[in-house]
Amino acid sequence: MEHLKKYWKRNLLYLFVLLLIWFSISFGCGILFVNELNAIKLGGFKLGFWFAQQGAIYGFIVIIFIYTFLMNRLDKKFDLDEK
Amino acid sequence: MSVQIWTYIIVGITFALYIGIAIWSRAGSTGEFYVAGGGVHPIANGMATAADWMSAASFISMAGIISFAGYDGSVYLLGWTGGYVLLALLLAPYLRKFGKFTVPDFVGDRYYSQTARTVAVFCALFVSFTYVAGQMRGVGVVFSRFLEVPVNYGVVIGMFIVFFYAVMGGMKGITYTQVAQYCILIFAFMVPAIFISILLTDHAIPQLGFGARLADGTYLLDKLDGLHEELGFARYTEGARGMWDMFCITGALMAGTAGLPHVIVRFFTVPRVRDARLSAGYALIFIAILYTTAPAIAVFARTNLIETVSETPYSKLPAWFGKWEKTGLIIFEDKNGDGKVQYVANKDLNELTIDHDIIVLANPEIAKLPIG
């Protein structure tokens, strides 16, 4: 039981950190701080606009792959992976 | 050969392909029927999920909406892809682990309650009917245009074909046709985008092209902002919607996306939980190809549209304008009688009304690509 509790705790930690990143690149950079970021330019893009229409989506992909990697490693470590 | 005959041949071939796949992959057991025997490769499943996503709404309407709304249109981009992250992190792996085919099954077993299961069934039916109503209309429009019959017949014919298909092949047939469909759709979406991007900014990648300089050295987005200001619209990159409005709409779209039943069931078609996670990642890559190109198409189309029509004499407008006018999806009324098109934000002076849904379809012509 102790074993599984530890697994679940680590699982929640991963989720919390990843969802924090998820929130900050979409709602944060794309909406809440868009005006501040728009003062910075990335080529022809205003940075806030870029996050809202491009950057956040690239970030989402990275988040899912990091999650996949972390969870697969965790499953193995706790010997919970399906063979 | 005329364009009409080519259309029949190409549509005929794609249909033969789809039906061929359905026969080849027909279901032999319950497991195969519902979840394709749980033996679909993660990449194939990713493509199928992405094809599910690219319903008529994403494929035809989204770039058009963004084209008219500018930054405000970001709610759809953020909402639909961001919701997918919630689905992949919080729902899909757990449902997969639980080993039930449907969400109502999961709810019923997890909460030990037949009532909860019934409520979940009704929710699923309600969601599915609402969703299918929109999609069937799209199917109907396509069939009515293709077979030249009224749209109601188009819906019925489309329904029979889909029914035949789903009953025979089940999830397995649908999964593999979705893979084929994804390839066809993304090809049709990307080719014009790439060529217009090269034409305007010399970049072959539209995602970079819409942030690049035009031939005269100004940035495309700066130019579009300038055009918008001239005509009285809100600046394209800033939009008109309030911050909390944006925040709440995005949140609502994310929650809705995370709950789409036809996408959730996709995660049951792969062999293991590990594959479910991986296939979620692949699916998002395939979805992102469309979703990051759409805003580029929106900018190209918007700039070309304004430059083509604004202050142009009605008699000198290109041929596509007249063609779409006939469908009633573009309406021009010369309010001040000067014979030119005034396309401005002020409703009393504006003379041009354009349906958002035609942007993706008309985009190649607006950009003067040599098509049709």
Side-chain angles (χ1 to χ4, degrees):
Chain A
M1 259 348 253
E2 204 46 44
H3 184 67
L4 285 178
K5 239 184 207 157
K6 235 170 147 187
Y7 171 84
W8 185 242
K9 248 190 171 161
R10 184 59 70 84
N11 185 355
L12 290 182
L13 177 74
Y14 288 162
L15 282 178
F16 179 76
V17 173
L18 288 171
L19 287 177
L20 204 67
I21 301 171
W22 166 83
F23 183 86
S24 47
I25 57 173
S26 54
F27 288 102
C29 300
I31 297 176
L32 295 175
F33 296 103
V34 71
N35 295 327
E36 286 77 4
L37 287 173
N38 274 346
I40 306 166
K41 282 204 115 187
L42 185 78
F45 293 111
K46 291 173 181 162
L47 193 58
F49 175 80
W50 182 80
F51 263 106
Q53 301 214 334
Q54 296 277 302
I57 301 176
Y58 301 132
F60 293 155
I61 298 179
V62 175
I63 288 173
I64 293 192
F65 276 98
I66 292 177
Y67 171 75
T68 304
F69 170 77
L70 289 175
M71 286 309 288
N72 287 348
R73 203 181 56 177
L74 192 67
D75 281 356
K76 244 188 216 133
K77 202 171 142 200
F78 284 81
D79 204 25
L80 289 167
D81 57 328
E82 299 158 283
K83 299 295 178 322
Chain B
M1 269 194 283
S2 72
V3 175
Q4 188 70 15
I5 297 176
W6 274 113
T7 317
Y8 278 117
I9 292 176
I10 292 174
V11 175
I13 292 173
T14 31
F15 262 94
L17 175 74
Y18 290 162
I19 292 182
I21 293 173
I23 293 171
W24 164 70
S25 62
R26 66 188 181 282
S29 71
T30 314
E32 281 195 346
F33 185 82
Y34 281 115
V35 293
V40 179
H41 190 276
I43 291 186
N45 194 52
M47 268 194 200
T49 313
D52 268 340
W53 217 262
M54 283 191 234
S55 53
S58 308
F59 186 71
I60 294 178
S61 306
M62 192 178 61
I65 295 172
I66 298 170
S67 191
F68 287 89
Y71 167 75
D72 292 347
S74 312
V75 293
Y76 299 103
L77 295 163
L78 289 174
W80 287 336
T81 54
Y84 188 80
V85 176
L86 293 181
L87 175 70
L89 264 54
L90 299 178
L91 291 172
Y94 303 103
L95 287 175
R96 179 68 186 75
K97 214 171 230 168
F98 205 75
K100 291 286 175 190
F101 290 154
T102 64
V103 179
D105 265 343
F106 171 79
V107 171
D109 287 2
R110 171 66 182 78
Y111 298 101
Y112 312 104
S113 157
Q114 284 302 322
T115 320
R117 191 193 308 261
T118 315
V119 171
V121 167
F122 275 106
C123 290
L125 282 177
F126 183 72
V127 172
S128 305
F129 267 110
T130 319
Y131 190 86
V132 167
Q135 303 300 334
M136 285 317 289
R137 159 97 192 160
V139 173
V141 169
V142 172
F143 273 103
S144 64
R145 169 75 189 74
F146 176 56
L147 300 171
E148 291 175 11
V149 294
V151 66
N152 291 345
Y153 292 135
V155 171
V156 175
I157 296 169
M159 212 165 62
F160 272 109
I161 293 183
V162 174
F163 178 77
F164 161 77
Y165 209 82
V167 167
M168 194 165 85
M171 200 59 175
K172 199 170 168 196
I174 290 173
T175 302
Y176 289 109
T177 36
Q178 293 281 49
V179 173
Q181 207 185 347
Y182 176 81
C183 300
I184 292 166
L185 280 181
I186 202 72
F187 182 78
F189 198 77
M190 293 303 292
V191 168
I194 289 171
F195 279 100
I196 295 169
S197 181
I198 293 174
L199 222 58
L200 279 175
T201 63
D202 266 340
H203 275 74
I205 301 171
Q207 284 85 340
L208 299 176
F210 84 114
R213 288 173 201 275
L214 297 161
D216 65 7
T218 50
Y219 281 117
L220 176 57
L221 285 169
D222 289 342
K223 172 159 185 177
L224 184 54
D225 275 346
L227 285 173
H228 264 220
E229 244 168 340
E230 249 172 64
L231 302 176
F233 295 105
R235 307 183 90 196
Y236 187 87
T237 54
E238 286 164 20
R241 234 190 253 287
M243 180 177 289
W244 291 106
D245 209 2
M246 294 282 293
F247 190 94
C248 295
I249 296 176
T250 306
L253 288 171
M254 281 183 178
T257 303
L260 288 174
H262 68 297
V263 177
I264 290 176
V265 78
R266 283 252 156 255
F267 293 97
F268 294 94
T269 59
V270 291
R272 289 159 302 201
V273 176
R274 157 158 41 119
D275 299 314
R277 292 185 192 123
L278 191 59
S279 102
Y282 285 126
L284 192 57
I285 289 185
F286 292 127
I287 292 167
I289 296 174
L290 184 97
Y291 273 62
T292 54
T293 308
I297 290 184
V299 169
F300 299 148
R302 185 73 181 159
T303 313
N304 281 328
L305 177 76
I306 292 177
E307 294 218 296
T308 310
V309 301
S310 185
E311 294 299 322
T312 307
Y314 182 70
S315 53
K316 295 218 172 104
L317 285 168
W320 59 261
F321 194 92
K323 277 193 224 160
W324 284 105
E325 246 186 332
K326 273 187 211 135
T327 65
L329 296 172
I330 287 185
I331 298 164
F332 169 65
E333 39 174 344
D334 196 1
K335 285 177 187 159
N336 62 1
D338 68 350
K340 290 180 185 170
V341 179
Q342 268 83 41
Y343 181 49
V344 290
N346 185 329
K347 280 199 176 72
D348 296 326
L349 300 175
N350 180 43
E351 302 177 343
L352 185 66
T353 319
I354 304 172
D355 191 287
H356 299 180
D357 288 349
I358 71 168
I359 288 299
V360 169
L361 301 176
N363 191 28
E365 290 181 300
I366 299 176
K368 303 191 191 82
L369 284 190
I371 292 171

